[in-house]
PDB file of all heavy atoms in Angstrom:
ATOM      1  N   SER A  62      28.316-258.948 160.132  1.00 96.00           N
ATOM      2  CA  SER A  62      28.697-260.301 160.473  1.00 96.00           C
ATOM      3  C   SER A  62      30.189-260.422 160.316  1.00 96.00           C
ATOM      4  O   SER A  62      30.858-259.518 159.796  1.00 96.00           O
ATOM      5  CB  SER A  62      27.963-261.310 159.564  1.00 96.00           C
ATOM      6  OG  SER A  62      28.341-261.177 158.227  1.00 96.00           O
ATOM      7  N   GLY A  63      30.708-261.566 160.727  1.00 97.00           N
ATOM      8  CA  GLY A  63      32.169-261.712 160.754  1.00 97.00           C
ATOM      9  C   GLY A  63      32.711-261.486 162.146  1.00 97.00           C
ATOM     10  O   GLY A  63      31.935-261.400 163.123  1.00 97.00           O
ATOM     11  N   GLN A  64      34.005-261.323 162.237  1.00 97.00           N
ATOM     12  CA  GLN A  64      34.621-261.215 163.556  1.00 97.00           C
ATOM     13  C   GLN A  64      35.728-260.173 163.552  1.00 97.00           C
ATOM     14  O   GLN A  64      36.551-260.115 162.619  1.00 97.00           O
ATOM     15  CB  GLN A  64      35.225-262.557 163.968  1.00 97.00           C
ATOM     16  CG  GLN A  64      35.774-262.609 165.358  1.00 97.00           C
ATOM     17  CD  GLN A  64      36.337-263.975 165.722  1.00 97.00           C
ATOM     18  OE1 GLN A  64      37.415-264.359 165.250  1.00 97.00           O
ATOM     19  NE2 GLN A  64      35.612-264.722 166.550  1.00 97.00           N
ATOM     20  N   ILE A  65      35.718-259.293 164.570  1.00 97.00           N
ATOM     21  CA  ILE A  65      36.802-258.333 164.799  1.00 97.00           C
ATOM     22  C   ILE A  65      37.263-258.537 166.233  1.00 97.00           C
ATOM     23  O   ILE A  65      36.467-258.450 167.174  1.00 97.00           O
ATOM     24  CB  ILE A  65      36.322-256.887 164.625  1.00 97.00           C
ATOM     25  CG1 ILE A  65      35.741-256.671 163.206  1.00 97.00           C
ATOM     26  CG2 ILE A  65      37.481-255.911 164.874  1.00 97.00           C
ATOM     27  CD1 ILE A  65      35.121-255.288 163.021  1.00 97.00           C
ATOM     28  N   ARG A  66      38.523-258.849 166.411  1.00 97.00           N
ATOM     29  CA  ARG A  66      39.073-259.102 167.742  1.00 97.00           C
ATOM     30  C   ARG A  66      40.312-258.271 167.970  1.00 97.00           C
ATOM     31  O   ARG A  66      41.229-258.248 167.153  1.00 97.00           O
ATOM     32  CB  ARG A  66      39.401-260.594 167.906  1.00 97.00           C
ATOM     33  CG  ARG A  66      38.212-261.508 167.756  1.00 97.00           C
ATOM     34  CD  ARG A  66      38.561-262.976 168.000  1.00 97.00           C
ATOM     35  NE  ARG A  66      38.786-263.210 169.419  1.00 97.00           N
ATOM     36  CZ  ARG A  66      37.851-263.492 170.302  1.00 97.00           C
ATOM     37  NH1 ARG A  66      36.580-263.579 169.906  1.00 97.00           N
ATOM     38  NH2 ARG A  66      38.137-263.703 171.568  1.00 97.00           N
ATOM     39  N   LEU A  67      40.310-257.568 169.107  1.00 97.00           N
ATOM     40  CA  LEU A  67      41.456-256.756 169.532  1.00 97.00           C
ATOM     41  C   LEU A  67      42.106-257.446 170.711  1.00 97.00           C
ATOM     42  O   LEU A  67      41.501-257.557 171.785  1.00 97.00           O
ATOM     43  CB  LEU A  67      40.978-255.341 169.902  1.00 97.00           C
ATOM     44  CG  LEU A  67      42.005-254.389 170.470  1.00 97.00           C
ATOM     45  CD1 LEU A  67      43.171-254.180 169.483  1.00 97.00           C
ATOM     46  CD2 LEU A  67      41.368-253.050 170.812  1.00 97.00           C
ATOM     47  N   ARG A  68      43.313-257.933 170.511  1.00 94.00           N
ATOM     48  CA  ARG A  68      44.023-258.707 171.537  1.00 94.00           C
ATOM     49  C   ARG A  68      43.116-259.786 172.125  1.00 94.00           C
ATOM     50  O   ARG A  68      43.056-260.025 173.330  1.00 94.00           O
ATOM     51  CB  ARG A  68      44.559-257.823 172.630  1.00 94.00           C
ATOM     52  CG  ARG A  68      45.651-256.845 172.153  1.00 94.00           C
ATOM     53  CD  ARG A  68      46.649-256.564 173.222  1.00 94.00           C
ATOM     54  NE  ARG A  68      47.659-255.580 172.830  1.00 94.00           N
ATOM     55  CZ  ARG A  68      48.766-255.887 172.164  1.00 94.00           C
ATOM     56  NH1 ARG A  68      49.003-257.134 171.764  1.00 94.00           N
ATOM     57  NH2 ARG A  68      49.639-254.948 171.844  1.00 94.00           N
ATOM     58  N   GLY A  69      42.359-260.467 171.256  1.00 93.00           N
ATOM     59  CA  GLY A  69      41.565-261.622 171.642  1.00 93.00           C
ATOM     60  C   GLY A  69      40.169-261.291 172.090  1.00 93.00           C
ATOM     61  O   GLY A  69      39.355-262.189 172.266  1.00 93.00           O
ATOM     62  N   SER A  70      39.834-259.992 172.265  1.00 96.00           N
ATOM     63  CA  SER A  70      38.488-259.619 172.722  1.00 96.00           C
ATOM     64  C   SER A  70      37.690-259.036 171.571  1.00 96.00           C
ATOM     65  O   SER A  70      38.201-258.248 170.768  1.00 96.00           O
ATOM     66  CB  SER A  70      38.621-258.565 173.844  1.00 96.00           C
ATOM     67  OG  SER A  70      37.343-258.086 174.197  1.00 96.00           O
ATOM     68  N   ASP A  71      36.404-259.389 171.548  1.00 95.00           N
ATOM     69  CA  ASP A  71      35.497-258.798 170.524  1.00 95.00           C
ATOM     70  C   ASP A  71      34.541-257.767 171.137  1.00 95.00           C
ATOM     71  O   ASP A  71      33.603-257.330 170.468  1.00 95.00           O
ATOM     72  CB  ASP A  71      34.729-259.890 169.812  1.00 95.00           C
ATOM     73  CG  ASP A  71      33.826-260.715 170.755  1.00 95.00           C
ATOM     74  OD1 ASP A  71      33.808-260.421 171.970  1.00 95.00           O
ATOM     75  OD2 ASP A  71      33.200-261.674 170.276  1.00 95.00           O
ATOM     76  N   ASP A  72      34.780-257.358 172.388  1.00 94.00           N
ATOM     77  CA  ASP A  72      33.936-256.347 173.028  1.00 94.00           C
ATOM     78  C   ASP A  72      34.498-254.962 172.683  1.00 94.00           C
ATOM     79  O   ASP A  72      35.150-254.307 173.514  1.00 94.00           O
ATOM     80  CB  ASP A  72      33.905-256.559 174.556  1.00 94.00           C
ATOM     81  CG  ASP A  72      32.890-255.677 175.259  1.00 94.00           C
ATOM     82  OD1 ASP A  72      32.281-254.806 174.567  1.00 94.00           O
ATOM     83  OD2 ASP A  72      32.715-255.807 176.460  1.00 94.00           O
ATOM     84  N   LEU A  73      34.252-254.531 171.449  1.00 93.00           N
ATOM     85  CA  LEU A  73      34.866-253.307 170.967  1.00 93.00           C
ATOM     86  C   LEU A  73      34.370-252.077 171.701  1.00 93.00           C
ATOM     87  O   LEU A  73      35.135-251.123 171.891  1.00 93.00           O
ATOM     88  CB  LEU A  73      34.608-253.189 169.460  1.00 93.00           C
ATOM     89  CG  LEU A  73      35.126-254.356 168.601  1.00 93.00           C
ATOM     90  CD1 LEU A  73      34.710-254.166 167.160  1.00 93.00           C
ATOM     91  CD2 LEU A  73      36.629-254.476 168.724  1.00 93.00           C
ATOM     92  N   ALA A  74      33.111-252.064 172.090  1.00 90.00           N
ATOM     93  CA  ALA A  74      32.585-250.892 172.801  1.00 90.00           C
ATOM     94  C   ALA A  74      33.317-250.666 174.116  1.00 90.00           C
ATOM     95  O   ALA A  74      33.615-249.538 174.504  1.00 90.00           O
ATOM     96  CB  ALA A  74      31.092-251.067 173.038  1.00 90.00           C
ATOM     97  N   ALA A  75      33.634-251.771 174.812  1.00 92.00           N
ATOM     98  CA  ALA A  75      34.343-251.637 176.106  1.00 92.00           C
ATOM     99  C   ALA A  75      35.794-251.206 175.903  1.00 92.00           C
ATOM    100  O   ALA A  75      36.368-250.582 176.785  1.00 92.00           O
ATOM    101  CB  ALA A  75      34.285-252.976 176.855  1.00 92.00           C
ATOM    102  N   LEU A  76      36.359-251.544 174.741  1.00 95.00           N
ATOM    103  CA  LEU A  76      37.764-251.216 174.476  1.00 95.00           C
ATOM    104  C   LEU A  76      37.954-249.854 173.853  1.00 95.00           C
ATOM    105  O   LEU A  76      39.062-249.316 173.835  1.00 95.00           O
ATOM    106  CB  LEU A  76      38.368-252.291 173.561  1.00 95.00           C
ATOM    107  CG  LEU A  76      38.390-253.725 174.104  1.00 95.00           C
ATOM    108  CD1 LEU A  76      38.827-254.686 173.035  1.00 95.00           C
ATOM    109  CD2 LEU A  76      39.307-253.807 175.307  1.00 95.00           C
ATOM    110  N   ARG A  77      36.880-249.285 173.339  1.00 94.00           N
ATOM    111  CA  ARG A  77      37.001-248.005 172.614  1.00 94.00           C
ATOM    112  C   ARG A  77      37.411-246.868 173.571  1.00 94.00           C
ATOM    113  O   ARG A  77      36.822-246.709 174.659  1.00 94.00           O
ATOM    114  CB  ARG A  77      35.657-247.644 171.949  1.00 94.00           C
ATOM    115  CG  ARG A  77      35.737-246.466 171.028  1.00 94.00           C
ATOM    116  CD  ARG A  77      34.491-246.386 170.150  1.00 94.00           C
ATOM    117  NE  ARG A  77      33.254-246.250 170.917  1.00 94.00           N
ATOM    118  CZ  ARG A  77      32.239-247.118 170.865  1.00 94.00           C
ATOM    119  NH1 ARG A  77      32.321-248.198 170.133  1.00 94.00           N
ATOM    120  NH2 ARG A  77      31.148-246.878 171.593  1.00 94.00           N
ATOM    121  N   GLY A  78      38.436-246.113 173.206  1.00 92.00           N
ATOM    122  CA  GLY A  78      38.970-245.058 174.026  1.00 92.00           C
ATOM    123  C   GLY A  78      40.029-245.555 174.971  1.00 92.00           C
ATOM    124  O   GLY A  78      40.826-244.763 175.487  1.00 92.00           O
ATOM    125  N   ARG A  79      40.058-246.843 175.191  1.00 93.00           N
ATOM    126  CA  ARG A  79      40.988-247.455 176.136  1.00 93.00           C
ATOM    127  C   ARG A  79      42.099-248.166 175.369  1.00 93.00           C
ATOM    128  O   ARG A  79      43.263-247.854 175.531  1.00 93.00           O
ATOM    129  CB  ARG A  79      40.240-248.417 177.053  1.00 93.00           C
ATOM    130  CG  ARG A  79      41.110-249.079 178.124  1.00 93.00           C
ATOM    131  CD  ARG A  79      40.286-250.126 178.848  1.00 93.00           C
ATOM    132  NE  ARG A  79      39.057-249.569 179.411  1.00 93.00           N
ATOM    133  CZ  ARG A  79      38.951-249.065 180.633  1.00 93.00           C
ATOM    134  NH1 ARG A  79      40.008-249.021 181.428  1.00 93.00           N
ATOM    135  NH2 ARG A  79      37.806-248.578 181.059  1.00 93.00           N
ATOM    136  N   ARG A  80      41.712-249.134 174.540  1.00 96.00           N
ATOM    137  CA  ARG A  80      42.690-249.907 173.798  1.00 96.00           C
ATOM    138  C   ARG A  80      42.682-249.596 172.286  1.00 96.00           C
ATOM    139  O   ARG A  80      43.584-249.929 171.553  1.00 96.00           O
ATOM    140  CB  ARG A  80      42.461-251.415 173.982  1.00 96.00           C
ATOM    141  CG  ARG A  80      42.595-251.850 175.442  1.00 96.00           C
ATOM    142  CD  ARG A  80      44.002-252.302 175.767  1.00 96.00           C
ATOM    143  NE  ARG A  80      45.045-251.338 175.525  1.00 96.00           N
ATOM    144  CZ  ARG A  80      45.514-250.474 176.405  1.00 96.00           C
ATOM    145  NH1 ARG A  80      44.996-250.411 177.602  1.00 96.00           N
ATOM    146  NH2 ARG A  80      46.501-249.665 176.110  1.00 96.00           N
ATOM    147  N   ILE A  81      41.608-248.956 171.812  1.00 97.00           N
ATOM    148  CA  ILE A  81      41.518-248.535 170.421  1.00 97.00           C
ATOM    149  C   ILE A  81      40.851-247.158 170.412  1.00 97.00           C
ATOM    150  O   ILE A  81      39.902-246.915 171.149  1.00 97.00           O
ATOM    151  CB  ILE A  81      40.768-249.559 169.568  1.00 97.00           C
ATOM    152  CG1 ILE A  81      40.826-249.157 168.092  1.00 97.00           C
ATOM    153  CG2 ILE A  81      39.328-249.746 170.037  1.00 97.00           C
ATOM    154  CD1 ILE A  81      40.350-250.273 167.132  1.00 97.00           C
ATOM    155  N   ALA A  82      41.402-246.259 169.582  1.00 96.00           N
ATOM    156  CA  ALA A  82      40.928-244.870 169.579  1.00 96.00           C
ATOM    157  C   ALA A  82      40.793-244.351 168.163  1.00 96.00           C
ATOM    158  O   ALA A  82      41.433-244.878 167.244  1.00 96.00           O
ATOM    159  CB  ALA A  82      41.839-243.978 170.396  1.00 96.00           C
ATOM    160  N   LEU A  83      40.024-243.286 168.005  1.00 96.00           N
ATOM    161  CA  LEU A  83      39.735-242.734 166.695  1.00 96.00           C
ATOM    162  C   LEU A  83      40.286-241.315 166.557  1.00 96.00           C
ATOM    163  O   LEU A  83      40.146-240.485 167.451  1.00 96.00           O
ATOM    164  CB  LEU A  83      38.215-242.701 166.478  1.00 96.00           C
ATOM    165  CG  LEU A  83      37.730-241.973 165.198  1.00 96.00           C
ATOM    166  CD1 LEU A  83      38.102-242.762 163.958  1.00 96.00           C
ATOM    167  CD2 LEU A  83      36.199-241.793 165.250  1.00 96.00           C
ATOM    168  N   VAL A  84      40.944-241.048 165.422  1.00 95.00           N
ATOM    169  CA  VAL A  84      41.236-239.679 164.985  1.00 95.00           C
ATOM    170  C   VAL A  84      40.273-239.397 163.839  1.00 95.00           C
ATOM    171  O   VAL A  84      40.444-239.948 162.733  1.00 95.00           O
ATOM    172  CB  VAL A  84      42.699-239.508 164.525  1.00 95.00           C
ATOM    173  CG1 VAL A  84      42.926-238.089 163.993  1.00 95.00           C
ATOM    174  CG2 VAL A  84      43.649-239.806 165.660  1.00 95.00           C
ATOM    175  N   PRO A  85      39.253-238.565 164.036  1.00 91.00           N
ATOM    176  CA  PRO A  85      38.207-238.409 163.027  1.00 91.00           C
ATOM    177  C   PRO A  85      38.632-237.482 161.890  1.00 91.00           C
ATOM    178  O   PRO A  85      39.630-236.764 161.960  1.00 91.00           O
ATOM    179  CB  PRO A  85      37.049-237.820 163.810  1.00 91.00           C
ATOM    180  CG  PRO A  85      37.740-237.013 164.882  1.00 91.00           C
ATOM    181  CD  PRO A  85      38.965-237.808 165.260  1.00 91.00           C
ATOM    182  N   GLN A  86      37.820-237.522 160.856  1.00 86.00           N
ATOM    183  CA  GLN A  86      38.063-236.682 159.668  1.00 86.00           C
ATOM    184  C   GLN A  86      37.798-235.202 159.964  1.00 86.00           C
ATOM    185  O   GLN A  86      38.568-234.363 159.544  1.00 86.00           O
ATOM    186  CB  GLN A  86      37.173-237.167 158.544  1.00 86.00           C
ATOM    187  CG  GLN A  86      37.328-236.439 157.234  1.00 86.00           C
ATOM    188  CD  GLN A  86      36.473-237.031 156.157  1.00 86.00           C
ATOM    189  OE1 GLN A  86      35.776-236.293 155.424  1.00 86.00           O
ATOM    190  NE2 GLN A  86      36.496-238.335 156.000  1.00 86.00           N
ATOM    191  N   ASP A  87      36.725-234.917 160.640  1.00 86.00           N
ATOM    192  CA  ASP A  87      36.311-233.512 160.882  1.00 86.00           C
ATOM    193  C   ASP A  87      36.444-233.231 162.369  1.00 86.00           C
ATOM    194  O   ASP A  87      35.547-233.489 163.165  1.00 86.00           O
ATOM    195  CB  ASP A  87      34.859-233.341 160.393  1.00 86.00           C
ATOM    196  CG  ASP A  87      34.410-231.882 160.536  1.00 86.00           C
ATOM    197  OD1 ASP A  87      35.178-231.060 161.037  1.00 86.00           O
ATOM    198  OD2 ASP A  87      33.268-231.593 160.133  1.00 86.00           O
ATOM    199  N   ALA A  88      37.567-232.616 162.724  1.00 88.00           N
ATOM    200  CA  ALA A  88      37.842-232.345 164.141  1.00 88.00           C
ATOM    201  C   ALA A  88      36.824-231.349 164.735  1.00 88.00           C
ATOM    202  O   ALA A  88      36.460-231.460 165.904  1.00 88.00           O
ATOM    203  CB  ALA A  88      39.264-231.793 164.294  1.00 88.00           C
ATOM    204  N   LEU A  89      36.361-230.394 163.926  1.00 88.00           N
ATOM    205  CA  LEU A  89      35.427-229.400 164.446  1.00 88.00           C
ATOM    206  C   LEU A  89      34.119-230.057 164.873  1.00 88.00           C
ATOM    207  O   LEU A  89      33.559-229.721 165.908  1.00 88.00           O
ATOM    208  CB  LEU A  89      35.169-228.329 163.391  1.00 88.00           C
ATOM    209  CG  LEU A  89      34.308-227.149 163.843  1.00 88.00           C
ATOM    210  CD1 LEU A  89      34.940-226.427 165.039  1.00 88.00           C
ATOM    211  CD2 LEU A  89      34.094-226.177 162.698  1.00 88.00           C
ATOM    212  N   SER A  90      33.639-231.018 164.090  1.00 88.00           N
ATOM    213  CA  SER A  90      32.435-231.730 164.449  1.00 88.00           C
ATOM    214  C   SER A  90      32.650-232.699 165.592  1.00 88.00           C
ATOM    215  O   SER A  90      31.736-232.972 166.385  1.00 88.00           O
ATOM    216  CB  SER A  90      31.868-232.486 163.228  1.00 88.00           C
ATOM    217  OG  SER A  90      31.522-231.592 162.190  1.00 88.00           O
ATOM    218  N   ALA A  91      33.862-233.243 165.685  1.00 91.00           N
ATOM    219  CA  ALA A  91      34.170-234.222 166.721  1.00 91.00           C
ATOM    220  C   ALA A  91      34.265-233.603 168.114  1.00 91.00           C
ATOM    221  O   ALA A  91      34.000-234.254 169.106  1.00 91.00           O
ATOM    222  CB  ALA A  91      35.441-234.960 166.383  1.00 91.00           C
ATOM    223  N   LEU A  92      34.713-232.339 168.166  1.00 95.00           N
ATOM    224  CA  LEU A  92      34.877-231.662 169.452  1.00 95.00           C
ATOM    225  C   LEU A  92      33.590-230.900 169.841  1.00 95.00           C
ATOM    226  O   LEU A  92      32.935-230.300 168.971  1.00 95.00           O
ATOM    227  CB  LEU A  92      36.036-230.647 169.346  1.00 95.00           C
ATOM    228  CG  LEU A  92      37.416-231.280 169.172  1.00 95.00           C
ATOM    229  CD1 LEU A  92      38.434-230.222 168.811  1.00 95.00           C
ATOM    230  CD2 LEU A  92      37.863-232.035 170.443  1.00 95.00           C
ATOM    231  N   SER A  93      33.245-230.936 171.097  1.00 96.00           N
ATOM    232  CA  SER A  93      32.051-230.230 171.561  1.00 96.00           C
ATOM    233  C   SER A  93      32.317-228.727 171.510  1.00 96.00           C
ATOM    234  O   SER A  93      33.339-228.264 172.036  1.00 96.00           O
ATOM    235  CB  SER A  93      31.711-230.646 172.995  1.00 96.00           C
ATOM    236  OG  SER A  93      30.735-229.770 173.545  1.00 96.00           O
ATOM    237  N   PRO A  94      31.404-227.947 170.941  1.00 96.00           N
ATOM    238  CA  PRO A  94      31.616-226.502 170.872  1.00 96.00           C
ATOM    239  C   PRO A  94      31.370-225.782 172.206  1.00 96.00           C
ATOM    240  O   PRO A  94      31.744-224.602 172.329  1.00 96.00           O
ATOM    241  CB  PRO A  94      30.573-226.050 169.839  1.00 96.00           C
ATOM    242  CG  PRO A  94      29.485-227.066 169.950  1.00 96.00           C
ATOM    243  CD  PRO A  94      30.144-228.369 170.266  1.00 96.00           C
ATOM    244  N   VAL A  95      30.809-226.465 173.198  1.00 96.00           N
ATOM    245  CA  VAL A  95      30.424-225.777 174.433  1.00 96.00           C
ATOM    246  C   VAL A  95      31.341-226.131 175.597  1.00 96.00           C
ATOM    247  O   VAL A  95      31.090-225.733 176.748  1.00 96.00           O
ATOM    248  CB  VAL A  95      28.952-226.079 174.814  1.00 96.00           C
ATOM    249  CG1 VAL A  95      28.035-225.559 173.710  1.00 96.00           C
ATOM    250  CG2 VAL A  95      28.737-227.561 175.013  1.00 96.00           C
ATOM    251  N   HIS A  96      32.418-226.896 175.335  1.00 97.00           N
ATOM    252  CA  HIS A  96      33.374-227.227 176.383  1.00 97.00           C
ATOM    253  C   HIS A  96      34.783-226.887 175.921  1.00 97.00           C
ATOM    254  O   HIS A  96      35.116-227.048 174.732  1.00 97.00           O
ATOM    255  CB  HIS A  96      33.304-228.717 176.734  1.00 97.00           C
ATOM    256  CG  HIS A  96      31.992-229.157 177.333  1.00 97.00           C
ATOM    257  ND1 HIS A  96      30.969-229.684 176.588  1.00 97.00           N
ATOM    258  CD2 HIS A  96      31.552-229.088 178.623  1.00 97.00           C
ATOM    259  CE1 HIS A  96      29.968-229.952 177.386  1.00 97.00           C
ATOM    260  NE2 HIS A  96      30.264-229.599 178.616  1.00 97.00           N
ATOM    261  N   ALA A  97      35.601-226.428 176.841  1.00 98.00           N
ATOM    262  CA  ALA A  97      36.990-226.125 176.500  1.00 98.00           C
ATOM    263  C   ALA A  97      37.703-227.398 176.062  1.00 98.00           C
ATOM    264  O   ALA A  97      37.394-228.492 176.482  1.00 98.00           O
ATOM    265  CB  ALA A  97      37.684-225.512 177.715  1.00 98.00           C
ATOM    266  N   VAL A  98      38.681-227.214 175.198  1.00 98.00           N
ATOM    267  CA  VAL A  98      39.402-228.349 174.633  1.00 98.00           C
ATOM    268  C   VAL A  98      40.063-229.174 175.749  1.00 98.00           C
ATOM    269  O   VAL A  98      39.980-230.406 175.760  1.00 98.00           O
ATOM    270  CB  VAL A  98      40.448-227.880 173.603  1.00 98.00           C
ATOM    271  CG1 VAL A  98      41.345-229.041 173.173  1.00 98.00           C
ATOM    272  CG2 VAL A  98      39.758-227.280 172.393  1.00 98.00           C
ATOM    273  N   GLY A  99      40.698-228.504 176.701  1.00 97.00           N
ATOM    274  CA  GLY A  99      41.333-229.202 177.789  1.00 97.00           C
ATOM    275  C   GLY A  99      40.367-230.019 178.616  1.00 97.00           C
ATOM    276  O   GLY A  99      40.691-231.109 179.075  1.00 97.00           O
ATOM    277  N   ASP A 100      39.152-229.455 178.845  1.00 98.00           N
ATOM    278  CA  ASP A 100      38.160-230.189 179.616  1.00 98.00           C
ATOM    279  C   ASP A 100      37.740-231.477 178.881  1.00 98.00           C
ATOM    280  O   ASP A 100      37.475-232.493 179.510  1.00 98.00           O
ATOM    281  CB  ASP A 100      36.926-229.304 179.857  1.00 98.00           C
ATOM    282  CG  ASP A 100      37.201-228.154 180.814  1.00 98.00           C
ATOM    283  OD1 ASP A 100      38.229-228.212 181.523  1.00 98.00           O
ATOM    284  OD2 ASP A 100      36.399-227.188 180.830  1.00 98.00           O
TER     285      ASP A 100
END
Side-chain angles (χ1 to χ4, degrees):
S62 63
Q64 186 179 74
I65 303 174
R66 299 183 72 86
L67 175 59
R68 295 211 183 276
S70 173
D71 60 3
D72 189 353
L73 302 176
L76 298 172
R77 189 167 60 241
R79 182 186 306 269
R80 299 268 56 92
I81 186 167
L83 173 68
V84 176
Q86 181 177 132
D87 184 357
L89 185 59
S90 297
L92 294 168
S93 168
V95 298
H96 296 95
V98 171
D100 291 343

